[in-house]
Every structure is written in C-alpha cells, then in structure tokens.
C-alpha cells in the first residue's frame, strides 16, 4: 500500500483502497472496528495504444512563450490550466523524454500491472486528467489546443542568460517563461551488486512497467525490495499473477514513515494472508546472476539466499534537477527551491510537482512531496499565478492513498483508524470508504477538533464513527 494518491481521485484500479490524512505527528491510536461491506466498482477497459512521436503545433522559429520541461502528471494539469485561461494555442510547448502524452503515473504500480484476466489499465485510458475526474487529454487533445509536444527529446542544457533550452537532438527552444516539471528518477542499486542485471526492474514510466510485465509473464519467483508504497503495490500486483512473492525491507515494519506498528501489523497480516512472504529488518548484500547472466537470487546480509527470477527495486526516488542546478537547489530536502507561487530564484522560471521544494504551510517548513495530488495542484497553482493576479500562497494538506488486492467486483471491508493527541483529532485513516466519506477527511485534519475518544472507540460502523467526528466539527464551529 503506497503513500501515493488522493481522497478524491480513486479512479485507478486496485484491490483495497485507503485514504490517509496525516497533517500532524501521531500520538494516540484508538481501538478500531471493521465492517464487512461490498461496494460496486467502476468497470475498466484495456485499450491498445500507439505512442505519437511528432510535434504538433507549428512555430515559425525557436521562440516559445511558455515551455514546460517534463511530461508527467504536473505537465498535463499545467497544460489544462493554460487552456482554461486561453493561453495555450500557439504559445505552449511541452518537452518530454517519454513517447507518450502526460498520464496518471500512479496506475503503473496498480492496474497497469494486472494480469490479462483482471482487465489491466492501458493508455489512452489513464491520460491526464482522468485521475481527478477531468477530460482525458490524448495526443489529439494537445493538437486540437495548439500545444506543441516534443516527444523523446529531453532537455540537456539551459542558458539562463539567453533563455534558451537545448534538447538531446540539438533542438533549440527559446522561452519566455519556463516551468520545470521533471519529477523524480528511481533510486537504483549499484551495478557492482547486481543493480543492472537482466530481470531487475525499477518503475517510473510506461516503458519500465511494460518491461516488468514481460518478466511477470515468464516469472515463477518474484522478490520485491522495499517496504514503502511502491514495494507494497508491486507485491500485491505480483500476487495477481499467482507468483511466489517475497517482499524484503530493512525497517521494523511496512511503511514505517507513516504506519504505527499496530497499523503495519494489520497490513502485514493482509499480505501474508494473500501468500506474500515478508522479510523485515533484512539487509541485502547483492543480487546474484545465474549461468545465463539473468538475476537468479537475492543474497542477504546474513548470508542467506532468496531465489528469484524477477526482482523489483522500490527504495525511493531522487528529484531530477539536471540540467537546472543553477536555478537554485534546496540542500536539505533536495529539489529546486521555490516560493509559495512556485517561482524559483531566477525570474521567469518556475518548478512544480515532485522536483519542487516549496513552503509547506501547515508544517511551517520547506518540503518536497512526491504525490500525484500535489503534482496536480502545484501545477494549477503555478500557472494561475503566472497568468492571473492570484497571489495567495500554496497551502497543501499532505495525504496518501493506495489500492491493493482488489479487482473489479471484489468484496471490500470498511475499516478506519483515528489519530490524535490530548483529545484532539490529528489524523484519519479510512479504508474502502465512499467518495462522500473521503471528502470529510481533510476538513477533520485541518480543523483538528476536540473529540470524544470513548465514543470513537465504541463506534460499530464507519458511518457512526464519521458522524461522531462530523459532530465535533459542528461543536468546534459553535465555540
């Protein structure tokens, strides 16, 4: 169960879904209760897709009024905002290293990895902006809106003084305003310990996911390295292929950055119930190759061996700042330093999404947030600030969601947990809730109302628990 996603965008398929709102450190954890309940699921569609590799809008020279570097989630939502303001046609260019128009990246570790009999997600089904209930922006959408798309041609150099970009093919682009939306790259194992062996996979884009699917089709024993949200989602997907699956991580429990030990235990038991073997507190010495050069095993720090013909590494990611180092980096959290309008230290240059180190207002500190909802909202906020008189500071509420072990028609359990301190509600976890229930969570997290802990502990359904929480908001407002 990764820590990526959003309470109002559960359009990506998966097995259980969970929304976590954690705006503050956690201190107490009331007893929880579960209620079995089946919910209807939207149908999914598997569609063939051929990447487009040509530029659309025609420019008389190298001048572009607005350029977005990077073709991920944030770029797609930024493009939509330019269109909404009537400032895209003939003015906007998006430069990406990928062969595809922007898409909802969380799908890659969820429904995209489903086996054929589970209706896997495929492009163009999850192009932005379907993840937030918006229009599906296919390559034709960009053409119709006069947006130039430069595919498979990443930017390799920037001349800040001349305001020009040079791509790997030698293409020269002169920009008026530049938005850096380069996201992150997967952290990798060093080559000397087998990080590049055939059969070893990392997931950041469609090409990575396609390569993993080819391996899963032939695999028998899968090892997933990493106990965060990527590792948890990929392990759940491997189970869907009926494969022998082991997840290995060095921490004491799954998702240690977010989960309390008791909460982690619940999900570890869920994974074990589905046949996943869990090796906690384990270090990896190296990945070993077989006689054919293909990965064959994972050697642990204690010398023990775990056989594997497919290994997926999910140990985090690093912000992709090159070649924009001169724009100004944050040495504490990484990424490109920006203000509350996503402006960098260089006039006319902005940064959004995973790569941006921005003021996280609710915590009063600078942070980077690797989350699809932040990618969407930061892009929209940035473009509105660039094109209009908007001056208010970006105010983001961190939250996380995931879906695992669930396919179309699966029965689902409704389960919840509240977190607080000194009688105040500080955070909420809700599993398999309705959209209406999820919409209540940010209100609770922001207001942090005083709440009757005993009543919450005695609630017998999520509806009753949320009614108690909702009532605390009314009391707070009346004071």
């Amino acid at each position: 169960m990764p820590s990526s996603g959003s309470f109002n965008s559960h359009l990506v398929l998966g097995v259980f879904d969970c929304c976590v709102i954690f705006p503050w450190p956690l201190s107490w954890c009331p007893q929880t209760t579960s209620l079995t309940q089946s919910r209807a699921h939207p149908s999914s569609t598997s569609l063939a897709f051929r990447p487009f590799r040509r530029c659309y809008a025609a420019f008389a020279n190298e001048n572009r009024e607005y350029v977005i570097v990077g073709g991920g989630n944030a770029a797609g939502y930024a493009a939509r905002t330019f269109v909404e303001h009537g400032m895209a046609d003939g003015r906007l260019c998006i430069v990406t290293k990928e062969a595809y128009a922007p898409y909802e990246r969380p799908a890659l570790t969820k429904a995209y990895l489903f086996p054929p009999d589970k209706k896997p997600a495929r492009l163009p089904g999850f192009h932005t902006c379907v993840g937030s209930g918006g229009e599906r922006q296919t390559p034709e959408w960009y053409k119709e809106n006069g947006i130039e798309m430069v595919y498979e041609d990443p930017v390799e150099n920037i001349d800040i003084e001349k305001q020009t970009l040079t791509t790997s093919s030698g293409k020269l682009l002169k920009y008026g305003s530049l938005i850096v939306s380069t996201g992150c790259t997967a952290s990798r194992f060093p080559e000397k310990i087998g990080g590049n062996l055939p059969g070893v996979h990392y997931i950041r884009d469609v090409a990575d996911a396609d390569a993993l699917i080819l391996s899963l089709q032939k695999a028998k024993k899968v090892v997933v390295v990493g106990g965060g949200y990527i590792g948890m989602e990929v392990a759940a997907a491997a189970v869907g292929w009926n494969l022998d699956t082991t997840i290995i991580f060095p921490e004491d429990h799954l998702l240690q950055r977010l989960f309390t030990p008791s909460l982690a235990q619940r999900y570890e038991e869920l994974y074990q119930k589905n046949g996943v073997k869990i090796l906690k507190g384990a270090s990896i010495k190296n990945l070993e190759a077989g006689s054919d050069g293909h990965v064959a095993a994972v050697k642990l720090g204690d010398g023990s061996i775990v056989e594997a013909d497919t290994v997926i590494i999910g140990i985090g990611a690093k912000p992709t700042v090159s070649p924009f180092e001169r724009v100004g980096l944050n040495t504490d959290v990484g990424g490109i330093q920006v203000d509350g309008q996503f402006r960098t230290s260089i006039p006319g240059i902005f940064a959004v999404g995973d790569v941006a180190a921005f003021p996280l207002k609710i915590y009063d500190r600078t942070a980077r947030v690797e989350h699809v909802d932040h990618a969407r909202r930061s892009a929209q906020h940035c473009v509105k600030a660039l094109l209009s008189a908007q001056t208010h500071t970006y105010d983001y509420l961190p939250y996380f969601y995931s879906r695992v072990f669930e396919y179309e028609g699966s029965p689902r359990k409704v389960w919840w947990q509240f977190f607080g301190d000194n009688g105040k509600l500080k955070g909420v976890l809700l599993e398999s809730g309705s959209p209406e229930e999820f919409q209540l969570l940010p209100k609770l997290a922001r207001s942090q109302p005083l709440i009757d802990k005993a009543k919450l502990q005695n609630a017998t359904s999520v509806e009753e628990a949320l009614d108690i929480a909702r009532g605390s908001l009314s009391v707070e407002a009346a004071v």
Side-chain angles (χ1 to χ4, degrees):
M1 186 188 96
S3 56
S4 76
S6 113
F7 65 86
N8 59 358
S9 82
H10 288 266
L11 301 181
V12 180
L13 297 180
V15 179
F16 92 93
D17 72 63
C18 167
C19 180
V20 191
I21 307 285
F22 285 158
W24 208 255
L26 312 179
S27 297
W28 56 263
C29 212
Q31 177 183 345
T32 57
T33 316
S34 64
L35 173 70
T36 301
Q37 180 173 330
S38 296
R39 301 261 176 135
H41 294 263
S43 60
S44 61
T45 308
S46 177
L47 300 171
F49 179 76
R50 181 178 63 191
F52 285 69
R53 293 183 173 85
R54 64 178 184 273
C55 301
Y56 284 127
F59 286 74
N61 52 44
E62 72 273 13
N63 295 328
R64 274 75 175 161
E65 191 168 347
Y66 307 106
V67 175
I68 301 173
V69 177
N73 277 89
Y77 283 81
R80 182 175 74 173
T81 310
F82 273 107
V83 170
E84 289 170 349
H85 283 76
M87 298 295 285
D89 193 356
R91 297 178 174 184
L92 176 62
C93 173
I94 298 176
V95 187
T96 175
K97 66 179 181 180
E98 293 196 60
Y100 305 93
Y103 53 87
E104 304 284 358
R105 205 171 295 275
L108 297 180
T109 52
K110 298 181 181 71
Y112 200 86
L113 297 182
F114 286 1
D117 64 324
K118 297 291 195 286
K119 297 185 178 180
R122 292 292 181 267
L123 288 171
F126 58 96
H127 278 299
T128 57
C129 299
V130 297
S132 62
E135 181 181 1
R136 181 180 291 109
Q137 297 170 191
T138 63
E140 289 79 11
W141 181 90
Y142 292 88
K143 180 180 180 180
E144 291 166 1
N145 285 284
I147 299 171
E148 179 183 18
M149 294 296 299
V150 179
Y151 293 103
E152 298 182 287
D153 198 9
V155 169
E156 292 192 346
N157 188 53
I158 177 173
D159 188 320
I160 292 174
E161 287 72 28
K162 295 182 179 179
Q163 292 185 237
T164 59
L165 304 167
T166 306
T167 69
S168 62
S169 70
K171 187 179 185 69
L172 186 69
L173 300 170
K174 185 172 180 62
Y175 63 85
S177 296
L178 171 66
I179 299 176
V180 180
S181 175
T182 47
C184 288
T185 56
S187 297
R188 302 176 68 92
F189 271 14
E191 183 175 5
K192 65 181 180 181
I193 66 167
N196 295 335
L197 287 174
V200 176
H201 296 270
Y202 307 83
I203 302 183
R204 289 302 298 182
D205 56 34
V206 166
D208 294 336
D210 285 342
L212 175 55
I213 290 169
L214 290 176
S215 286
L216 292 175
Q217 290 171 349
K218 300 175 288 185
K220 293 182 179 179
K221 294 185 176 182
V222 173
V223 167
V224 179
V225 179
Y229 63 91
I230 295 296
M232 292 177 70
E233 286 189 342
V234 173
V239 170
W241 291 78
N242 296 316
L243 300 175
D244 181 309
T245 304
T246 302
I247 183 167
I248 303 172
F249 51 90
E251 295 85 9
D252 296 331
H253 58 72
L254 284 173
L255 212 60
Q256 189 155 318
R257 285 193 305 161
L258 283 179
F259 282 179
T260 60
S262 61
L263 186 56
Q265 181 180 353
R266 171 181 168 83
Y267 288 106
E268 288 170 7
E269 290 172 354
L270 173 67
Y271 273 72
Q272 290 165 340
K273 180 180 178 181
N274 281 275
V276 178
K277 294 184 283 290
I278 298 176
L279 297 180
K280 299 185 283 187
S283 63
I284 294 176
K285 184 175 182 181
N286 62 276
L287 308 180
E288 298 190 339
S291 58
D292 60 354
H294 193 279
V295 69
V298 177
K299 187 173 184 179
L300 304 182
D302 63 5
S304 60
I305 298 291
V306 181
E307 293 183 353
D309 49 37
T310 298
V311 176
I312 304 97
I313 310 295
I315 56 173
K318 299 176 181 177
T320 306
V321 297
S322 180
F324 303 103
E325 291 88 349
R326 281 188 59 202
V327 172
L329 305 183
N330 182 288
T331 57
D332 294 324
V333 300
I336 297 172
Q337 182 69 54
V338 297
D339 64 11
Q341 304 290 331
F342 295 96
R343 297 172 294 198
T344 71
S345 60
I346 307 297
I349 300 181
F350 303 76
V352 298
D354 292 2
V355 77
F358 67 98
L360 187 56
K361 192 174 179 180
I362 196 169
Y363 285 115
D364 191 27
R365 63 178 173 82
T366 298
R368 278 194 319 105
V369 176
E370 296 172 13
H371 188 280
V372 63
D373 181 67
H374 164 64
R376 296 166 183 159
R377 293 176 185 270
S378 63
Q380 293 166 329
H381 190 98
C382 172
V383 175
K384 289 176 182 177
L386 174 61
L387 299 180
S388 69
Q390 174 181 280
T391 58
H392 68 273
T393 298
Y394 184 63
D395 186 10
Y396 186 69
L397 174 66
Y399 69 92
F400 308 87
Y401 87 96
S402 178
R403 288 187 168 187
V404 295
F405 298 126
E406 178 184 274
Y407 305 99
E408 184 179 344
S410 298
R412 297 160 75 180
K413 288 185 177 181
V414 178
W415 189 79
W416 67 95
Q417 194 160 68
F418 292 88
F419 304 86
D421 185 25
N422 294 323
K424 275 197 167 187
L425 184 64
K426 295 291 184 73
V428 185
L429 180 143
L430 178 60
E431 180 181 316
S432 298
S434 67
E436 294 75 19
E437 290 162 350
F438 285 133
Q439 288 172 8
L440 175 63
L441 304 193
K443 298 176 185 177
L444 294 170
R446 281 195 180 277
S447 64
Q448 299 182 20
L450 288 168
I451 197 160
D452 190 325
K453 178 179 173 181
K455 284 185 177 180
L456 281 181
Q457 290 175 322
N458 293 325
T460 58
S461 70
V462 68
E463 290 83 4
E464 182 183 353
L466 290 178
D467 279 344
I468 293 168
R470 189 180 291 107
S472 70
L473 287 176
S474 301
V475 171
E476 196 86 359
V479 174

